[in-house]
Amino acid sequence: LQLTLDVLNLFNRKANDIEYWGGACTRSETLSGSCGGGIDGRLVHPLEPRTLRLSLRASF
């Protein structure tokens, strides 16, 4: 048996996991095929909030 505990964003920091410049479309534009190159802008994915993850693995 293997028991694992992961703590993500221990100090609950408010930051972005990744930031980049690129084109983006809305979901309706993508579905209708009218997106083209999208609208250029800064795209971000914020850090996840403080999270505890407990897992148990059994091998035999």
Side-chain angles (χ1 to χ4, degrees):
L1 292 175
Q2 179 183 6
L3 183 66
T4 306
L5 174 66
D6 295 314
V7 181
L8 306 175
N9 198 6
L10 176 63
F11 300 109
N12 205 24
R13 188 171 163 219
K14 304 295 185 216
N16 292 325
D17 189 30
I18 187 170
E19 294 183 40
Y20 56 96
W21 186 267
C25 303
T26 64
R27 179 173 288 153
S28 60
E29 289 172 333
T30 303
L31 292 174
S32 69
S34 64
C35 181
I39 299 171
D40 285 337
R42 186 172 142 245
L43 303 169
V44 298
H45 183 272
L47 283 173
E48 298 292 331
R50 182 181 312 124
T51 305
L52 299 176
R53 183 170 44 203
L54 183 64
S55 60
L56 177 66
R57 178 187 294 188
S59 301
F60 51 94

